[in-house]
PDB file of all heavy atoms in Angstrom:
ATOM      1  N   LEU F 282      22.315  17.970  -7.532  1.00 62.00           N
ATOM      2  CA  LEU F 282      22.849  17.075  -6.535  1.00 62.00           C
ATOM      3  C   LEU F 282      23.756  16.026  -6.991  1.00 62.00           C
ATOM      4  O   LEU F 282      24.593  15.457  -6.305  1.00 62.00           O
ATOM      5  CB  LEU F 282      21.606  16.284  -5.877  1.00 62.00           C
ATOM      6  CG  LEU F 282      20.618  17.260  -5.087  1.00 62.00           C
ATOM      7  CD1 LEU F 282      19.617  16.430  -4.503  1.00 62.00           C
ATOM      8  CD2 LEU F 282      21.392  18.018  -4.037  1.00 62.00           C
ATOM      9  N   LEU F 283      23.722  15.818  -8.376  1.00 64.00           N
ATOM     10  CA  LEU F 283      24.768  14.835  -8.989  1.00 64.00           C
ATOM     11  C   LEU F 283      26.126  15.476  -8.769  1.00 64.00           C
ATOM     12  O   LEU F 283      27.104  14.772  -8.623  1.00 64.00           O
ATOM     13  CB  LEU F 283      24.440  14.554 -10.358  1.00 64.00           C
ATOM     14  CG  LEU F 283      23.092  13.849 -10.707  1.00 64.00           C
ATOM     15  CD1 LEU F 283      22.825  13.702 -12.117  1.00 64.00           C
ATOM     16  CD2 LEU F 283      23.144  12.436  -9.926  1.00 64.00           C
ATOM     17  N   LEU F 284      26.148  16.774  -8.941  1.00 63.00           N
ATOM     18  CA  LEU F 284      27.508  17.524  -8.798  1.00 63.00           C
ATOM     19  C   LEU F 284      28.060  17.322  -7.350  1.00 63.00           C
ATOM     20  O   LEU F 284      29.146  17.126  -7.182  1.00 63.00           O
ATOM     21  CB  LEU F 284      27.314  18.984  -9.152  1.00 63.00           C
ATOM     22  CG  LEU F 284      28.617  19.804  -8.931  1.00 63.00           C
ATOM     23  CD1 LEU F 284      29.738  19.378  -9.841  1.00 63.00           C
ATOM     24  CD2 LEU F 284      28.261  21.261  -9.245  1.00 63.00           C
ATOM     25  N   VAL F 285      27.042  17.446  -6.402  1.00 63.00           N
ATOM     26  CA  VAL F 285      27.427  17.223  -4.991  1.00 63.00           C
ATOM     27  C   VAL F 285      27.972  15.777  -4.901  1.00 63.00           C
ATOM     28  O   VAL F 285      28.912  15.558  -4.062  1.00 63.00           O
ATOM     29  CB  VAL F 285      26.126  17.452  -4.172  1.00 63.00           C
ATOM     30  CG1 VAL F 285      26.474  17.111  -2.652  1.00 63.00           C
ATOM     31  CG2 VAL F 285      25.724  18.879  -4.240  1.00 63.00           C
ATOM     32  N   TRP F 286      27.332  14.825  -5.512  1.00 60.00           N
ATOM     33  CA  TRP F 286      27.866  13.444  -5.342  1.00 60.00           C
ATOM     34  C   TRP F 286      29.315  13.323  -5.909  1.00 60.00           C
ATOM     35  O   TRP F 286      30.126  12.691  -5.230  1.00 60.00           O
ATOM     36  CB  TRP F 286      26.978  12.505  -6.101  1.00 60.00           C
ATOM     37  CG  TRP F 286      27.498  11.109  -6.208  1.00 60.00           C
ATOM     38  CD1 TRP F 286      28.065  10.541  -7.423  1.00 60.00           C
ATOM     39  CD2 TRP F 286      27.605  10.080  -5.327  1.00 60.00           C
ATOM     40  NE1 TRP F 286      28.465   9.248  -7.126  1.00 60.00           N
ATOM     41  CE2 TRP F 286      28.200   9.011  -5.810  1.00 60.00           C
ATOM     42  CE3 TRP F 286      27.193  10.095  -3.957  1.00 60.00           C
ATOM     43  CZ2 TRP F 286      28.446   7.798  -5.086  1.00 60.00           C
ATOM     44  CZ3 TRP F 286      27.352   8.944  -3.191  1.00 60.00           C
ATOM     45  CH2 TRP F 286      27.986   7.797  -3.888  1.00 60.00           C
ATOM     46  N   PHE F 287      29.590  14.000  -6.986  1.00 65.00           N
ATOM     47  CA  PHE F 287      31.004  13.876  -7.498  1.00 65.00           C
ATOM     48  C   PHE F 287      31.828  14.657  -6.550  1.00 65.00           C
ATOM     49  O   PHE F 287      33.174  14.292  -6.549  1.00 65.00           O
ATOM     50  CB  PHE F 287      31.139  14.570  -8.835  1.00 65.00           C
ATOM     51  CG  PHE F 287      30.453  13.682  -9.923  1.00 65.00           C
ATOM     52  CD1 PHE F 287      29.349  14.222 -10.637  1.00 65.00           C
ATOM     53  CD2 PHE F 287      30.865  12.438 -10.297  1.00 65.00           C
ATOM     54  CE1 PHE F 287      28.747  13.348 -11.672  1.00 65.00           C
ATOM     55  CE2 PHE F 287      30.289  11.619 -11.156  1.00 65.00           C
ATOM     56  CZ  PHE F 287      29.209  12.187 -11.914  1.00 65.00           C
ATOM     57  N   LEU F 288      31.498  15.645  -5.717  1.00 63.00           N
ATOM     58  CA  LEU F 288      32.339  16.272  -4.763  1.00 63.00           C
ATOM     59  C   LEU F 288      32.038  15.797  -3.402  1.00 63.00           C
ATOM     60  O   LEU F 288      32.409  16.504  -2.368  1.00 63.00           O
ATOM     61  CB  LEU F 288      32.029  17.789  -4.855  1.00 63.00           C
ATOM     62  CG  LEU F 288      32.313  18.442  -6.253  1.00 63.00           C
ATOM     63  CD1 LEU F 288      31.807  19.970  -6.211  1.00 63.00           C
ATOM     64  CD2 LEU F 288      33.813  18.422  -6.599  1.00 63.00           C
ATOM     65  N   ARG F 289      31.585  14.576  -3.225  1.00 66.00           N
ATOM     66  CA  ARG F 289      31.141  14.124  -1.977  1.00 66.00           C
ATOM     67  C   ARG F 289      32.289  14.133  -0.890  1.00 66.00           C
ATOM     68  O   ARG F 289      32.117  14.469   0.274  1.00 66.00           O
ATOM     69  CB  ARG F 289      30.421  12.729  -2.110  1.00 66.00           C
ATOM     70  CG  ARG F 289      31.328  11.612  -2.638  1.00 66.00           C
ATOM     71  CD  ARG F 289      30.519  10.391  -2.917  1.00 66.00           C
ATOM     72  NE  ARG F 289      31.359   9.300  -3.448  1.00 66.00           N
ATOM     73  CZ  ARG F 289      31.807   9.241  -4.681  1.00 66.00           C
ATOM     74  NH1 ARG F 289      31.397  10.180  -5.629  1.00 66.00           N
ATOM     75  NH2 ARG F 289      32.556   8.168  -5.148  1.00 66.00           N
ATOM     76  N   MET F 290      33.462  13.604  -1.344  1.00 73.00           N
ATOM     77  CA  MET F 290      34.501  13.343  -0.410  1.00 73.00           C
ATOM     78  C   MET F 290      35.001  14.774   0.257  1.00 73.00           C
ATOM     79  O   MET F 290      35.056  14.865   1.486  1.00 73.00           O
ATOM     80  CB  MET F 290      35.691  12.661  -0.907  1.00 73.00           C
ATOM     81  CG  MET F 290      35.279  11.188  -1.384  1.00 73.00           C
ATOM     82  SD  MET F 290      34.393  10.291  -0.124  1.00 73.00           S
ATOM     83  CE  MET F 290      35.691  10.157   1.064  1.00 73.00           C
ATOM     84  N   PRO F 291      35.427  15.738  -0.541  1.00 77.00           N
ATOM     85  CA  PRO F 291      35.695  16.976   0.041  1.00 77.00           C
ATOM     86  C   PRO F 291      34.689  17.630   0.841  1.00 77.00           C
ATOM     87  O   PRO F 291      34.889  18.187   1.907  1.00 77.00           O
ATOM     88  CB  PRO F 291      36.205  17.919  -1.083  1.00 77.00           C
ATOM     89  CG  PRO F 291      35.590  17.274  -2.369  1.00 77.00           C
ATOM     90  CD  PRO F 291      35.575  15.784  -2.061  1.00 77.00           C
ATOM     91  N   LEU F 292      33.358  17.524   0.472  1.00 73.00           N
ATOM     92  CA  LEU F 292      32.251  18.092   1.123  1.00 73.00           C
ATOM     93  C   LEU F 292      32.087  17.442   2.509  1.00 73.00           C
ATOM     94  O   LEU F 292      31.774  18.015   3.467  1.00 73.00           O
ATOM     95  CB  LEU F 292      30.972  18.063   0.336  1.00 73.00           C
ATOM     96  CG  LEU F 292      30.974  18.963  -0.940  1.00 73.00           C
ATOM     97  CD1 LEU F 292      29.653  18.679  -1.693  1.00 73.00           C
ATOM     98  CD2 LEU F 292      30.962  20.367  -0.430  1.00 73.00           C
ATOM     99  N   LEU F 293      32.230  16.059   2.442  1.00 75.00           N
ATOM    100  CA  LEU F 293      32.024  15.250   3.697  1.00 75.00           C
ATOM    101  C   LEU F 293      33.175  15.709   4.711  1.00 75.00           C
ATOM    102  O   LEU F 293      33.010  15.764   5.877  1.00 75.00           O
ATOM    103  CB  LEU F 293      32.055  13.818   3.417  1.00 75.00           C
ATOM    104  CG  LEU F 293      30.804  13.173   2.754  1.00 75.00           C
ATOM    105  CD1 LEU F 293      31.029  11.717   2.379  1.00 75.00           C
ATOM    106  CD2 LEU F 293      29.616  13.330   3.843  1.00 75.00           C
ATOM    107  N   ARG F 294      34.433  15.799   4.205  1.00 78.00           N
ATOM    108  CA  ARG F 294      35.490  16.231   5.075  1.00 78.00           C
ATOM    109  C   ARG F 294      35.298  17.561   5.695  1.00 78.00           C
ATOM    110  O   ARG F 294      35.489  17.793   6.873  1.00 78.00           O
ATOM    111  CB  ARG F 294      36.780  16.166   4.342  1.00 78.00           C
ATOM    112  CG  ARG F 294      37.324  14.788   3.900  1.00 78.00           C
ATOM    113  CD  ARG F 294      38.749  14.866   3.392  1.00 78.00           C
ATOM    114  NE  ARG F 294      39.237  13.537   2.859  1.00 78.00           N
ATOM    115  CZ  ARG F 294      39.081  13.057   1.622  1.00 78.00           C
ATOM    116  NH1 ARG F 294      38.509  13.863   0.714  1.00 78.00           N
ATOM    117  NH2 ARG F 294      39.385  11.835   1.299  1.00 78.00           N
ATOM    118  N   LEU F 295      34.789  18.490   4.798  1.00 80.00           N
ATOM    119  CA  LEU F 295      34.436  19.837   5.414  1.00 80.00           C
ATOM    120  C   LEU F 295      33.317  19.729   6.372  1.00 80.00           C
ATOM    121  O   LEU F 295      33.501  20.352   7.430  1.00 80.00           O
ATOM    122  CB  LEU F 295      33.986  20.720   4.128  1.00 80.00           C
ATOM    123  CG  LEU F 295      33.543  22.114   4.592  1.00 80.00           C
ATOM    124  CD1 LEU F 295      34.594  22.911   5.182  1.00 80.00           C
ATOM    125  CD2 LEU F 295      32.932  22.907   3.278  1.00 80.00           C
ATOM    126  N   ALA F 296      32.286  18.963   6.116  1.00 78.00           N
ATOM    127  CA  ALA F 296      31.267  18.830   7.173  1.00 78.00           C
ATOM    128  C   ALA F 296      31.776  18.251   8.465  1.00 78.00           C
ATOM    129  O   ALA F 296      31.346  18.614   9.511  1.00 78.00           O
ATOM    130  CB  ALA F 296      30.041  17.996   6.562  1.00 78.00           C
TER     131      ALA F 296
END
Side-chain angles (χ1 to χ4, degrees):
L282 295 181
L283 295 176
L284 178 61
V285 175
W286 169 254
F287 289 117
L288 298 174
R289 61 190 180 278
M290 297 311 296
L292 290 175
L293 285 172
R294 290 191 183 93
L295 175 62

